[in-house]
Amino acid sequence: MKKALLFCGLLVSTLLIGQNTYLHCGKLIDTKEGKVLTNKTIVVSGKKIIAIENGFSTPKSADDTVIDLKSKTVMPGLIDMHVHIEGESNPASYLQKYTLNEADVAFNAQKLANVTLMSGFTTVRDLGGSGVNVALRNAINTGKVDGPRIFTAEKSLATTGGHADPTNGSKKELMGDPGPKEGVVNSVEDAKKAVRQRYKNGADWIKITATGGVLSVAKSGQNPQFTVEEIKAICDAAKDYDMNVAAHAHGDEGMQRAILGGVKTIEHGTFMSDETMELMKKHDVYLVPTIIAGKSVTEKAKIPNYYPEVIVGKALDIGPRMQAMFARAYKKGVGIGFGTDAGVFAHGENAKEFGYMVEAGMPPMKALQSATVTNAMLLKMENEIGQLKDGFIADIVATNEDPTEHIDTMTNVVFVMKEGKIYKK
């Protein structure tokens, strides 16, 4: 009996050893050190990287798989800290909230998630939807559908009439008086209840709309929309549930309130002052700039009837300012996380953001680090993703050219592995 058990144990061990994947990498980006290495082999077993070896290693078993990436540049799977995975901008978007059922949204979201993964983004932070985003995260985690690893805020929090009030633009009979359950906050007590409801609904993060926004059917795109006390209550409640808070913000006053209230990231940051930049550095708050979203809404606002009229002026004013603000913030030393606001533009085009960041003065390696080691840290996964390292999750992507020399190559990811499984080759 003992011999039989020993034989079975040896057999299982042999099978496990024989299932490794060897990735022969011509160039490998060390995102931690900010270096480009050459002629490396990544050994993957199951969902993890088990070794990074010099040269092109020979497999130890006939059952091992070799992937030839000798002509490619290999790097960790990319992380986008600002997407809206449930939908995508189109001229009918504002009508669709009345015509699409939850099942319709779910099927659309599954497709968009797959597009995102195929473009090299193995992890995303979803900053606001209907709640379908939670179900999609769970379906991806259990292997039912393909997509990136999702950290979701479920439904964004707003004030009455604020950027994420779900009834903005509705006729009076449909407006009602949404409250914390629907993500609408008008007091400290509302704030606590809204956070607890998001936790109950399955959120990983909390997102607030600290100012007006471009695409909401409301007049202002930058006015502050929460008090400091409300934001502090949101952040304190979120901390109780081990969640951080992201703040959509275009106007400077709303940003300062959000920072003082305890948020971790500022999304967009369009009218950010030097004073606010210093405040962010002091409180260790990161900017997620979403330059591509600004450029996209400006372009679409020039198309007749693409947006409701109340949005057009905001889009033409706010959109063009984002890249210049980002350039100032980077030079000031503000922490930068990579994020795009995908959904405002077509999912799958996320990597265009790298080019805009470099165009504004950020070195290519720094831009790549913002989408890997920095974002991994913000997601509290710095010991699992964002690097190609022994013991880390095998999220690996590759491009034809070296992005530190040709940043536009990031828009054409040719190899995608997530958790040791190859999705694109």
Side-chain angles (χ1 to χ4, degrees):
M1 184 65 179
K2 288 183 178 178
K3 289 182 178 180
L5 290 172
L6 179 61
F7 174 75
C8 289
L10 290 171
L11 180 62
V12 170
S13 297
T14 302
L15 288 172
L16 289 174
I17 292 171
Q19 294 173 351
N20 294 344
T21 300
Y22 286 66
L23 281 70
H24 289 169
C25 311
K27 289 186 176 182
L28 183 151
I29 296 182
D30 180 343
T31 50
K32 180 69 173 178
E33 298 299 326
K35 296 179 180 179
V36 180
L37 310 177
T38 57
N39 297 349
K40 296 287 184 179
T41 298
I42 304 172
V43 186
V44 175
S45 180
K47 296 182 178 182
K48 296 288 187 72
I49 296 170
I50 61 170
I52 306 286
E53 300 175 350
N54 293 324
F56 302 132
S57 303
T58 302
K60 296 177 175 59
S61 166
D63 293 324
D64 290 338
T65 300
V66 175
I67 304 295
D68 184 355
L69 299 173
K70 294 175 185 175
S71 65
K72 313 301 179 186
T73 299
V74 182
M75 65 201 83
L78 305 171
I79 307 167
D80 190 331
M81 288 291 280
H82 193 136
V83 305
H84 296 281
I85 206 73
E86 288 186 10
E88 194 168 271
S89 176
N90 68 80
S93 295
Y94 295 89
L95 179 62
Q96 285 176 341
K97 71 177 183 177
Y98 301 106
T99 60
L100 294 183
N101 294 310
E102 190 176 56
D104 299 317
V105 174
F107 278 111
N108 291 340
Q110 179 184 345
K111 178 182 177 182
L112 298 174
N114 187 65
V115 168
T116 301
L117 178 62
M118 292 301 115
S119 63
F121 289 85
T122 53
T123 304
V124 298
R125 184 180 61 162
D126 181 278
L127 286 186
S130 66
V132 164
N133 42 22
V134 173
L136 178 62
R137 175 200 64 196
N138 295 343
I140 291 169
N141 287 347
T142 55
K144 294 173 184 174
V145 298
D146 295 339
R149 183 179 300 104
I150 294 176
F151 291 82
T152 182
E154 203 249 354
K155 164 72 177 65
S156 301
L157 304 187
T159 55
T160 295
H163 181 53
D165 183 331
T167 63
N168 282 343
S170 301
K171 65 179 184 177
K172 291 181 180 179
E173 289 83 353
L174 297 177
M175 278 187 182
D177 185 21
K181 186 176 180 179
E182 294 79 24
V184 178
V185 169
N186 288 293
S187 69
V188 166
E189 289 308 310
D190 280 357
K192 296 175 184 176
K193 187 171 182 179
V195 169
R196 292 163 183 163
Q197 185 69 52
R198 305 286 78 73
Y199 171 77
K200 181 179 180 179
N201 293 353
D204 305 297
W205 271 71
I206 299 297
K207 187 225 182 153
I208 66 170
T209 51
T211 74
V214 175
L215 299 183
S216 51
V217 186
K219 184 172 66 173
S220 177
Q222 54 180 298
N223 68 301
Q225 298 191 337
F226 283 88
T227 66
V228 174
E229 292 74 22
E230 288 167 342
I231 296 172
K232 189 176 187 304
I234 288 169
C235 293
D236 287 348
K239 185 178 180 181
D240 287 343
Y241 294 96
D242 195 29
M243 293 189 287
N244 278 327
V245 180
H248 154 104
H250 291 291
D252 197 52
E253 172 64 24
M255 287 180 232
Q256 293 198 12
R257 293 185 190 182
I259 295 163
L260 294 173
V263 305
K264 187 61 181 176
T265 63
I266 295 289
E267 315 297 309
H268 317 305
T270 310
F271 293 95
M272 187 183 295
S273 66
D274 289 348
E275 180 185 1
T276 299
M277 291 177 187
E278 294 299 332
L279 200 62
M280 290 179 72
K281 290 161 61 177
K282 178 181 177 181
H283 291 273
D284 194 31
V285 176
Y286 282 68
L287 170 67
V288 179
T290 70
I291 303 167
I292 185 175
K295 291 183 178 293
S296 177
V297 298
T298 301
E299 292 169 6
K300 290 181 172 65
K302 297 173 183 176
I303 302 172
N305 302 316
Y306 191 96
Y307 293 133
E309 193 59 34
V310 71
I311 288 170
V312 174
K314 294 186 292 179
L316 293 174
D317 179 31
I318 291 174
R321 300 174 184 267
M322 289 185 178
Q323 192 172 27
M325 176 279 305
F326 165 76
R328 289 175 44 241
Y330 173 68
K331 289 176 184 176
K332 276 274 189 183
V334 174
I336 305 292
F338 181 97
T340 66
D341 213 358
V344 168
F345 60 93
H347 292 275
E349 296 183 1
N350 314 50
K352 288 182 179 180
E353 182 81 5
F354 288 110
Y356 295 137
M357 295 168 86
V358 171
E359 187 178 85
M362 178 179 262
M365 182 61 79
K366 294 291 185 182
L368 294 172
Q369 288 176 315
S370 75
T372 51
V373 287
T374 299
N375 281 355
M377 177 273 296
L378 290 170
L379 292 172
K380 302 178 184 179
M381 291 195 74
E382 63 269 33
N383 295 319
E384 298 179 80
I385 61 175
Q387 297 181 56
L388 299 177
K389 185 176 179 180
D390 180 4
F392 275 53
I393 295 171
D395 289 355
I396 304 169
V397 302
T399 54
N400 283 323
E401 297 181 274
D402 180 347
T404 65
E405 299 172 357
H406 305 281
I407 195 64
D408 288 346
T409 195
M410 295 303 298
T411 62
N412 182 29
V413 167
V414 295
F415 175 85
V416 177
M417 171 184 280
K418 179 191 166 203
E419 296 184 356
K421 179 179 177 180
I422 297 172
Y423 289 88
K424 186 176 185 179
K425 180 180 175 184

